[in-house]
Amino acid sequence: MEIHLGNTVIGGKKKFIFAGPCAIENISQISEIAKFLKDYSIPGLRGGTFKLRTKPTSFQGLGEEGLKLLKEMGDAYGLITITEVATPEQVQLAYEYVDVLQIGTRGAQNPYLLKAAGQQRKPVMLKRGMMMTIEELLWAAEYIIEEGNPNVILCERGIRTFEKETRNTLDLSAVCILKEKTHLPVFVDPSHAVGLAAYVPQLTKAALVAGADGTLIEIHPEPASALSDGAQALDFTAFSKLVKELREETISFTI
Ligand code: PEP
Ligand code: MN
């Protein structure tokens, strides 16, 4: 299924990339990123505004101020914007500012949030809950669709397993299965899956080869000083190298 956003298509023949910071921190950070994406012809800008952090002492996001910055950047650079919403109230608020609403791994199991996302008309990227089976993810999508919003993008973002070397375990088989079982676009977020920037490029390529329609990648101009998820953020050099490689050829075989 194709989702049309202005002149842009998600779930069509071309792969789609959303990139941006884990959290919008201030205007200079997000405008530097937005300009960089525009220069590299990347169509989508992500940016967390209402963050769901494990620790209450961690940076919680700029809230509505962040939404305003995201809209400003989307308008200024012609980028498709996405941000996470965690409550029905945030769905209503973000509706005014962004192009795509994101339901995160923690929100994916909240039927009240899913229904609220189904009652509005912007596309919804639904991430897989970190403990969700593929079947449960599909039921979560059904909550949104049943309310009248067919524009759901599924996103594999890693699941919790016994493995501790990586933040989560990227379940690439979910991509194959979801592509077969549904007509919905399927994305992969390699950043939250692996949690380590060094492995994000390889996993992005693997996801696209497995059939993903697009990816959601965290980038930051200065990952070491990021207020959240710095360890998994690609800097501009690493991200532009990845984009160049993706454009040249997704994978090359020496056989
Ligand atoms: C995010 O994309 O900002 C995020 C918090 O992801 P997840 O819900 O997958 O952890
Ligand atoms: Mn993050």
Side-chain angles (χ1 to χ4, degrees):
M1 183 185 77
E2 293 185 353
I3 296 177
H4 291 256
L5 284 151
N7 295 330
T8 316
V9 181
I10 292 179
K13 282 204 182 77
K14 292 188 181 163
K15 310 283 185 187
F16 190 98
I17 298 181
F18 282 106
C22 179
I24 297 176
E25 298 169 359
N26 51 58
I27 186 156
S28 70
Q29 173 233 29
I30 194 67
S31 54
E32 199 180 335
I33 293 172
K35 185 178 179 316
F36 167 74
L37 294 179
K38 186 67 191 170
D39 289 347
Y40 278 85
S41 302
I42 299 299
L45 173 65
R46 65 150 286 148
T49 49
F50 293 99
K51 297 304 300 175
L52 287 90
R53 307 301 301 282
T54 302
K55 299 177 193 160
T57 45
S58 301
F59 177 58
Q60 306 283 309
L62 296 181
E64 189 170 4
E65 191 194 329
L67 291 176
K68 288 181 182 162
L69 291 176
L70 196 51
K71 176 158 172 44
E72 199 180 316
M73 294 305 126
D75 290 346
Y77 295 103
L79 299 165
I80 305 289
T81 56
I82 184 169
T83 202
E84 179 174 357
V85 286
T87 66
E89 295 72 33
Q90 289 171 12
V91 169
Q92 288 191 352
L93 189 62
Y95 181 88
E96 306 296 332
Y97 296 103
V98 297
D99 299 308
V100 182
L101 303 181
Q102 177 180 321
I103 292 186
T105 200
R106 294 167 180 81
Q109 281 175 307
N110 179 350
Y112 298 97
L113 176 61
L114 298 168
K115 284 185 198 179
Q119 286 159 5
Q120 55 79 53
R121 293 293 161 265
K122 297 225 166 146
V124 179
M125 177 179 287
L126 173 62
K127 289 201 171 186
R128 181 179 183 181
M130 61 184 94
M131 302 291 279
M132 260 186 172
T133 63
I134 292 170
E135 190 185 348
E136 287 164 344
L137 174 62
L138 292 173
W139 280 117
E142 210 52 41
Y143 265 109
I144 302 170
I145 296 166
E146 281 277 309
E147 293 294 322
N149 185 353
N151 296 320
V152 178
I153 303 159
L154 301 172
C155 183
E156 160 63 35
R157 50 76 69 200
I159 51 174
R160 282 217 159 163
T161 67
F162 50 81
E163 183 52 66
K164 292 195 286 192
E165 291 287 319
T166 54
R167 182 174 182 177
N168 291 285
T169 297
L170 179 58
D171 181 10
L172 277 185
S173 30
V175 176
C176 312
I177 291 166
L178 290 170
K179 285 300 292 177
E180 191 175 281
K181 282 194 186 262
T182 81
H183 61 291
L184 302 172
V186 177
F187 273 50
V188 167
D189 170 354
S191 309
H192 291 91
V194 71
L196 298 162
Y199 307 117
V200 166
Q202 279 158 281
L203 293 177
T204 302
K205 293 175 189 175
L208 296 174
V209 170
D213 296 291
T215 62
L216 183 74
I217 299 174
E218 287 191 345
I219 65 170
H220 196 284
E222 220 182 309
S225 59
L227 297 183
S228 59
D229 287 352
Q232 67 197 33
L234 296 184
D235 62 18
F236 288 0
T237 308
F239 183 70
S240 45
K241 180 171 178 282
L242 169 62
V243 170
K244 186 170 175 284
E245 287 168 5
L246 289 176
R247 289 194 172 133
E248 280 168 5
E249 50 188 333
T250 300
I251 200 156
S252 65
F253 297 94
T254 43
I255 48 172

